Amino acid sequence: MRTAIVVIAIAACTALSAQQGPDRSHPPQPGPPPTLKLPAIQKRQLANGLPVWVVERHEVPVAQVNLIVFTGTADDPTGKFGLASLTTAMLEQGAGSRSALEIADAIDFLGADLAAGSGFDASAVRLHVPVARLADAMPIMGDVALRPTFPPDELERLRKQRLTSLLQSRDDPATIGALTFSRVLYGTTHRFGTAAAGTAETIAALSAADLRGLYDSAFRPTNAALLIVGDVTTDKVLPLAESTFGGWQPRGAAAPAPKLPAVQQPARREVYLVDKPGAAQSQIRIGWIGAPRSTPDYFPIQVLNTILGGSFSSRLNMNLREKHGYAYGASSTFDLRAAAGPFVAAAGVQTDKTADALKEFFVELNAIVQPVPADELTRAKNYIALRFPEAFETTGDISRRLEDMLVYHLPEDYFAKYVQNIQAVTAADVQRVAQKYIQPNRFVVVVVGDLKTIEPAVRALNLGTTKVLTVNDVFGPAPAVPSAGQ
Amino acid sequence: MKAAAVFLALVLSSPALAQSPAKSGAPAAPKIEVAYTQFTLPNGLRVILHEDHTVPLVTVNVWYHVGSARERTGRTGFAHLFEHLMFMGSGHVKPGEFDSWLESAGGDNNGSTTNDRTNYWINVPSNALDLALFLESDRMGYLLDTMTPATVDAQRDVVKNERRQSYENRPYGQASIVLTEMLYPQGHPYHWPVIGYMDDLTAASYDDVVAFFKKYYAPSNASLVVAGDFETAAARRLVEKWFGDVKAGAQVEPMTIPGVALVGVQKKTLTDKVQLPRLTIAWLTPPSLAPGDAALDVVGDVLAGGKNSRLYKRLVYDLQIAQSVSAGQNSQALSSYFVVQATPRPGHTLDEIEKIIDEEIAKLQHEPPSQHELDRSLNQIEASFYNRMERVGGFGGVGDQLNSYYTTTGDPDWFNEDLGRYRALSTSDIQAAAAQFLPADRRVELTVVPESSTKK
């Protein structure tokens, strides 16, 4: 059986000659898994209290430097959705004495990548650079993170760019499906019900004062941390960090942490159809509100999802792709944020098989609450646990792991215990979390497709109350983008 | 064939480089070298081993030197459909076991097909190298033992859905298919899309699978790279053990390629379910690694790489009449093409955009770019060589790059020579490439317009 690990010394295999041919009657059993030497984290602090974590990696002459700020899009106030996203996008559009073009030219000339952006739970300015150019790039990063100037013409430029992007996102069925799903689950007032960039209305209304206000209250050394990973030594890189970020002082008062409104799970199953005339596939999203990152069910959820839709051999993919050929792939995800994000099962399926595919989705969602066979459980746990070293391969990978640790307050021994925590998950744990988080009778079902072809068959499934939404219902009216000169 | 083992030092992370003072301009150029061992098995399989102990992972990477260019009319998309079949089991691996065994060992895998080649990789923790080599060798040697018409049918449906998802149901998705049809004449091996035509996917038969495997999937038409956390001598023994019994096949004859050139300006307009129109202009250009290929990469950067590039700055930044613009050389083995693509903002027209694209290309054709523009591009290219060293497995990892260089040049460690192609460029080379390869009177102009605008 696959659960038994048999150790075979490599030397034993080499006795076979090529002419004879190797024994192919059984797959070779891997020996004991290698242990990942976790990178040592040097934890320091700058004069102003900014925490600095350094990980030395000397294989490739590059460095990754991330300044993390613990305010994200989830903190956007009502009526100003898109604020964090636009604020961080503006950091590179003018900073210190440099214009947007000068920043871009200097960074490009150094062969560096500099990006500022916001996730749900944090924002970041991230620099990746050949280590020989690190000392040249850091002051530019410092300007961008600490001395943004928010030029008015740049704000108008980004506003038009974002309104146009929003207009273009109405073209893509997968984007429509994802936004519809978020909208019907979380509504218009909860931050998770609207795209990170906001709506046409909020993008048009956000002012330079709004951006400065958020910047001043969020970008403070007491609400931030600096991560440095790469071909550096802690002692040599700290003075550079100190000269770049050590003099940083808060500009305004910290804002009180806003609270996301309470949100109700759907009481019963609901179906939402969005018309995309002539579409070759239907984009399907099924699920509800899942769990927060802090859930004690974290490890069983990882195993559950790997079995259900988180790996190639998962049930959803094997059914919809390999068995029926309805889709190029099918998957499921628990989007674990500081506040509970969605659980979603998803696929793009061929139009004429839309109802059949929905049926198969529910076959698998209903079946997952039954006890999981031992070999499937072992495979899923090994897939997660044994692959863990890959998450620490590049400087970017390592910096993201450190970000998770800081943003979600993971314990000191989180990575050291990760593998054993996954391996400790039992079939009973998986069944318990499946029963808790996979309740198909209360799931929201979103289908974006060619309604004249798919609607009768989808309605005939009697999945639940069925509503037809337009793209305008989901996105609001198409944004008016002022053309140049206006 | 190279059979001699060659050891080179990996000097990438030399302290001298790490501590060299970062002056503006190009710093002293470090030499990029990747150590490897190379040998050829009696059945003709070329093998390259590269040790890297950064993390306890190994990657097994195979390139078969066949892509969609080897297909025939009426059976397009076959090389890629075949790629899918390579994951469906083999003589000693039942359907489903390839993935389930790898997942049980903490492994991942994938494959991809282009016009010129098909590649496969398996990433596993270093304790499962034996398993990965067993699986890779079994499908090289014994794929047909478990292949059935039903297997072909199942993946045919999956591939059709891949086509629907990636082209038919994606905004502007049809344009990339039509573009190569316009660039390459009927019968040219780059005329049809790698994904293939729906009718041809329907027509592909089990007999085609057998013939394709026998013709193109012989070990002598493949190269194997094993890279990562292992000892070279032990890995070599494992490779010899698992691949030694794979039978040699017939030699694949080199392709004879019809010469190709554009005559005049060829225009076409497509409609799509999109909000904004899009303009694509394309030229036929020299093959990968041929003279002009590297210079055209820099031409792409000068025109549309970053905020200060000429087209981005004018169209998107200054005038704000375009939402996006891109430009670049699409390098391929037999013939490449250079593409400029732009999407106007609402209220602006393709004609406005095209006029400025033409002006900027003409300017580059008449006057070299500044040294600063060239250096900015070269510094980014050089940095990309380091960035590509950070991952050993998967697409674009060090293992995949060794196989790519081996396939295209015969030398797996061609990193430094590749970078040298760029370092040798002068500003007048960039001007000359733009002048020679981007003529205004011999090109393809493909426009996509919103469906609704044609109904009016």
Side-chain angles (χ1 to χ4, degrees), chain A residues 10 14, chain B residues 7 37 39 48-54 57-58 126-127 129 133 226-239:
Chain A
I10 284 173
T14 57
Chain B
F7 288 92
T37 301
F39 55 94
I48 294 144
L49 307 177
H50 163 66
E51 282 186 42
D52 176 346
H53 301 281
T54 306
L57 294 172
V58 291
S126 44
N127 64 320
L129 175 59
L133 292 170
V226 183
D229 180 32
F230 55 77
E231 301 301 326
T232 293
R236 178 171 184 155
R237 285 195 296 273
L238 286 178
V239 168

Side-chain angles (χ1 to χ4, degrees), chain A residues 135-192:
Chain A
D136 291 331
M138 280 279 271
I140 305 167
M141 177 185 182
D143 274 353
V144 164
L146 311 186
R147 288 172 288 279
T149 51
F150 301 101
D153 52 338
E154 293 290 345
L155 175 58
E156 294 319 307
R157 188 176 64 78
L158 281 202
R159 200 192 301 281
K160 275 194 273 185
Q161 200 165 54
R162 286 175 168 233
L163 288 172
T164 308
S165 290
L166 195 63
L167 183 69
Q168 289 189 290
S169 64
R170 302 159 75 96
D171 291 340
D172 181 27
T175 307
I176 298 170
L179 189 65
T180 307
F181 180 76
S182 303
R183 173 54 56 95
V184 297
L185 266 187
Y186 289 97
T188 53
T189 54
H190 191 288
R191 184 63 187 93
F192 293 170

Side-chain angles (χ1 to χ4, degrees), chain B residues 166-179:
Chain B
S166 305
Y167 298 90
E168 295 169 23
N169 215 35
R170 177 167 291 179
Y172 309 100
Q174 292 287 340
S176 62
I177 291 176
V178 174
L179 185 67

Side-chain angles (χ1 to χ4, degrees), chain A residues 24 31 109 132 136 154 277 393, chain B residues 22 54 127 242 273 317 379 392:
Chain A
R24 294 182 180 272
F109 194 79
D136 291 331
E154 293 290 345
E393 191 171 5
Chain B
T54 306
N127 64 320
W242 288 115
K273 298 172 187 57
Y317 189 88
N379 290 348
V392 74

Side-chain angles (χ1 to χ4, degrees), chain A residues 324-348:
Chain A
H324 287 105
Y326 295 157
Y328 179 39
S331 64
S332 64
T333 312
F334 279 85
D335 193 345
L336 303 172
R337 308 167 185 166
F343 160 78
V344 63

Side-chain angles (χ1 to χ4, degrees), chain B residues 32-46:
Chain B
I32 299 176
E33 286 176 313
V34 177
Y36 70 96
T37 301
Q38 187 178 345
F39 55 94
T40 303
L41 295 184
N43 58 19
L45 179 67
R46 275 72 49 92

